[in-house]
Amino acid sequence: MRKGTPTTDIQIQRSRTALARTALSRPVAGALADQLIPEGSTVFDYGCGRGDDVVRLRALGVDADGWDPAFRPNAVRRPADVVNLGYVVNVIEDIDERRAALLAAWALATRVLIVSGRTFGEDRAPAGVSHGDGLLTGRRTFQKLYTHTELGEWVEQVTGERAYAAAPGVFYLFRDLDDAQAYVRSRVAIYRPRRQIDTLALYETHRDALEPLFTFMTVHARAPRAHELPDADTAGVTDAVGSLARGTRIIRSVTSAAYWEDVSTQRRNELLVMLALGRFRQEDLLRDATTRTDVRALFPSADGARRDADRLLLACSDPALRQVNALASKVGRISPTSLYVHAPALAELPPILQVFEVCARLLSGASIGVNIIRLSYVADEVEYRAYERFEETAHPPLSFSARVRIGKLDVRWIAPEAVGERPVLHQKEQFVSPEHSRRELYAALSRAEQRAGLYDEPDRIRTEAGWAKTLRERGLMVAGHRLRRVRGDV
């Protein structure tokens, strides 16, 4: 990235935008979470700043390198499986050079490019004066702030490739369509009922060998066809019980028919959500052979499944149908306008609401740390909320949130409140799955707080400060997930 021709006499100091990080940057951490940097991958950080992401990736055993015009100008810009262009395009004041940087990074990416830029509302907007299409700050740095949608559209316009939202202000570009579609399919939430196995000597003897077969059947709601199970797993089953067919019969003999009916229902719903998602993205997600086989096994025909998915996509745009399904949902907390649900329980929602949510997620990406999702049934809006230490903290405060308006293709960060004024979450058991391991612990605390009258004034306990004051006035404290009386000498 050479210096662009200045439009004023002011010398812009791009190197001052490089942050000293104490953890992986959000785009790189997200790519790891999305399993886009598997073992053996190479990573190149284009515009790496001080190189903190490179150092931390190497510590994780990843073959990583980087280049930066200010801090590592002599490094070789080399191709890699994954190239990260992290918060670079927003600090280049020259529009042509900005485009050139994106194209140069894309040229180095052999599998996937990660592009990120600062977005409105993500953090406190920098102070400055208008300069080109951005701002000149008091530190003589340039910042171009994007809306989430604007950044994605710009990336697509410059590269001519489809951009896939990973998180607000973060996008992936894939070289291979199969990789892109695998990423889209991974956005569909998966839920399976708990296994209920009757003790049987033959199964118990060969449990470890049969486990890969059991897992495949649970995921796909059918037995594997030839070569769908890895050769080593197939050999293990065959050596143990004689054949895959016999292994399948043994597994079905130790599980109830009702379990497999539930598995088939869940897989059919997932496939419908996936096909509706493909229609929303205008992509055929049946390119994958295993997915096509699942559809053939669970639906009368692929065309019939597509028609059902089209109806599902149409239905999720109807507020009345979303409301009916929200009221019928077995998970989540209902309000006069929305359903709030714990992120791990998404797959337990009715399919209409799953399609609604996953369409929003494809527009916004999925930010790391999101644990509560609000699905509106009066507006085409989904909000993603991150509460600090949700599992461990009885009343976690809101860290950040992002709101997606599907009809307007708009993604907005909601600025966090100051510490003390942040909203806190109460009655966590109302948001989680009935099968959540700590649900009863959460519920017991809520019952104790209800008996103590702590919920009598909801507006008063909404924030950290209000909740702390209410507890003090009642002489109470929350320790772990237990409500206790404060001793006089405390």
Side-chain angles (χ1 to χ4, degrees):
M1 292 176 289
R2 68 190 188 287
K3 288 188 183 300
T5 303
T7 57
T8 72
D9 293 333
I10 296 174
Q11 191 73 21
I12 291 176
Q13 303 293 323
R14 292 183 189 168
S15 62
R16 292 184 177 179
T17 63
L19 301 178
R21 300 184 184 278
T22 58
L24 284 170
S25 66
R26 188 162 59 93
V28 174
L32 282 168
D34 289 332
Q35 300 181 346
L36 296 184
I37 310 177
E39 185 177 354
S41 296
T42 57
V43 176
F44 190 81
D45 197 350
Y46 192 100
C48 63
R50 302 173 189 275
D52 294 332
D53 275 341
V54 173
V55 171
R56 286 180 171 79
L57 285 171
R58 287 175 176 174
L60 294 173
V62 178
D63 180 2
D65 204 349
W67 169 85
D68 188 87
F71 296 93
R72 301 188 64 177
N74 297 321
V76 176
R77 283 170 273 186
R78 60 183 176 88
D81 298 324
V82 181
V83 173
N84 177 46
L85 188 66
Y87 302 105
V88 170
V89 297
N90 51 282
V91 303
I92 301 176
E93 72 283 359
D94 185 285
I95 295 175
D96 291 336
E97 187 180 351
R98 196 183 304 159
R99 291 170 57 92
L102 173 58
L103 290 172
W106 175 231
L108 295 176
T110 60
R111 193 163 54 81
V112 61
L113 173 67
I114 310 167
V115 183
S116 54
R118 288 187 67 181
T119 55
F120 290 101
E122 182 175 353
D123 51 21
R124 189 170 297 173
V129 297
S130 179
H131 182 86
D133 62 349
L135 293 174
L136 184 66
T137 73
R139 299 177 65 238
R140 292 191 296 173
T141 65
F142 174 82
Q143 286 290 344
K144 159 69 175 171
L145 297 185
Y146 295 86
T147 68
H148 173 82
T149 305
E150 177 191 9
L151 178 60
E153 290 175 346
W154 177 77
V155 168
E156 291 186 338
Q157 182 268 321
V158 171
T159 63
E161 302 289 338
R162 175 162 248 179
Y164 294 80
V170 184
F171 292 87
Y172 300 145
L173 274 70
F174 294 92
R175 286 287 178 196
D176 190 282
L177 181 58
D178 288 338
D179 286 343
Q181 293 201 345
Y183 173 73
V184 174
R185 286 193 296 271
S186 74
R187 303 299 89 187
V188 178
I190 294 176
Y191 162 77
R192 291 294 180 271
R194 291 178 181 174
R195 293 181 183 177
Q196 295 180 344
I197 298 175
D198 298 325
T199 302
L200 189 70
L202 186 59
Y203 172 80
E204 291 295 340
T205 300
H206 303 293
R207 178 190 287 268
D208 290 344
L210 291 170
E211 185 60 29
L213 176 58
F214 205 150
T215 299
F216 184 96
M217 293 170 63
T218 301
V219 170
H220 298 281
R222 61 177 176 84
R225 306 289 174 87
H227 308 302
E228 286 190 313
L229 206 62
D231 291 344
D233 293 335
T234 299
V237 175
T238 302
D239 290 345
V241 299
S243 68
L244 286 179
R246 188 166 187 232
T248 300
R249 290 195 296 272
I250 292 170
I251 288 170
R252 287 192 174 275
S253 73
V254 298
T255 47
S256 68
Y259 171 79
W260 293 110
E261 288 174 6
D262 287 347
V263 167
S264 295
T265 298
Q266 290 297 328
R267 184 57 180 159
R268 276 194 294 270
N269 287 343
E270 289 161 10
L271 291 167
L272 286 174
V273 172
M274 191 180 300
L275 290 170
L277 189 56
R279 180 69 73 173
F280 180 72
R281 293 285 304 185
Q282 297 182 343
E283 296 184 41
D284 183 5
L285 296 183
L286 292 187
R287 283 171 51 90
D288 175 65
T290 298
T291 305
R292 286 199 306 272
T293 304
D294 289 355
V295 169
R296 285 197 294 267
L298 295 171
F299 292 91
S301 70
D303 287 342
R306 286 190 178 96
R307 286 193 294 272
D308 289 346
D310 288 346
R311 286 192 284 268
L312 197 59
L313 183 60
L314 181 63
C316 83
S317 66
D318 186 330
L321 289 176
R322 291 204 304 274
Q323 182 177 14
V324 168
N325 281 268
L327 292 171
S329 176
K330 296 179 181 178
V331 295
R333 176 176 179 172
I334 199 78
S335 81
T337 64
S338 306
L339 180 70
Y340 297 76
V341 64
H342 191 213
L346 282 172
E348 299 176 62
L349 291 172
I352 283 178
L353 297 182
Q354 289 189 49
V355 172
F356 184 60
E357 185 279 327
V358 81
C359 287
R361 189 148 37 106
L362 277 182
L363 291 172
S364 68
S367 294
I368 294 175
V370 167
N371 37 45
I372 296 294
I373 299 171
R374 178 178 68 83
L375 299 101
S376 172
Y377 51 77
V378 298
D380 60 346
E381 182 176 282
V382 177
E383 183 182 348
Y384 295 89
R385 299 183 175 185
Y387 287 89
E388 288 184 5
R389 302 175 68 239
F390 177 90
E391 299 289 347
E392 300 87 355
T393 305
H395 300 282
L398 182 64
S399 176
F400 68 84
S401 63
R403 188 172 297 162
V404 183
R405 299 187 68 180
I406 298 175
K408 295 187 176 181
L409 305 179
D410 182 45
V411 181
R412 294 283 176 178
W413 285 83
I414 302 172
E417 301 286 348
V419 173
E421 296 305 313
R422 295 181 298 179
V424 294
L425 199 65
H426 300 281
Q427 297 178 294
K428 292 193 299 183
E429 73 283 354
Q430 296 185 6
F431 303 91
V432 302
S433 165
E435 296 184 4
H436 191 282
S437 61
R438 308 189 82 190
R439 188 174 190 275
E440 182 49 40
L441 176 65
Y442 301 159
L445 173 61
S446 296
R447 289 193 293 270
E449 291 173 343
Q450 182 77 48
R451 289 194 297 270
L454 294 174
Y455 301 156
D456 291 349
E457 299 179 73
D459 289 341
R460 194 164 184 252
I461 63 173
R462 189 184 69 85
T463 65
E464 294 171 292
W467 175 241
K469 183 178 180 181
T470 300
L471 287 171
R472 284 196 305 272
E473 291 175 353
R474 302 292 179 97
L476 298 169
M477 63 180 291
V478 176
H481 283 79
R482 297 283 188 271
L483 186 66
R484 302 189 185 282
R485 180 72 56 184
V486 178
R487 293 180 180 179
D489 59 347
V490 174

